[in-house]
Amino acid sequence: MTLRTTFLVQPFELHRKRLRPARQEPAQSEFGALKKAEALAARMPGAAALKIVADDETGELEGVTILGQFGEVPDDFAETLLGN
């Protein structure tokens, strides 16, 4: 089993006065994800920087960490990531 760490930015947009996820963007590092999320939040309602650890062979998630949130992020965002 080989674990792979990926960094993503999840921006949010307004649709009918509700926040919804926009297209995720990859980042090269933790620092890059935080900077990209902060920059996107200046143009959009909000964004979150994520660290995702998954099994490289099966794709099974080992863990998701929210590195930072900027601007408006849905209240239940953390719960939806964890599948609760």
Side-chain angles (χ1 to χ4, degrees):
M1 174 167 91
T2 305
L3 295 180
R4 181 177 187 175
T5 301
T6 305
F7 299 97
L8 291 175
V9 175
Q10 176 62 70
F12 295 93
E13 61 190 6
L14 278 176
H15 179 73
R16 297 184 181 176
K17 297 183 182 181
R18 297 185 75 169
L19 288 173
R20 74 173 184 186
R23 197 173 107 218
Q24 292 180 344
E25 297 193 20
Q28 296 294 319
S29 65
E30 181 175 331
F31 179 76
L34 288 165
K35 286 307 208 184
K36 187 178 277 194
E38 188 174 17
L40 282 172
R43 296 183 287 131
M44 302 179 86
L50 306 172
K51 175 183 173 182
I52 300 167
V53 179
D55 185 318
D56 202 24
E57 295 172 12
T58 66
E60 185 176 328
L61 284 179
E62 293 291 320
V64 179
T65 304
I66 300 173
L67 301 171
Q69 297 181 153
F70 303 90
E72 294 181 54
V73 174
D75 293 334
D76 64 347
F77 178 61
E79 288 82 23
T80 58
L81 285 177
L82 300 174
N84 293 338

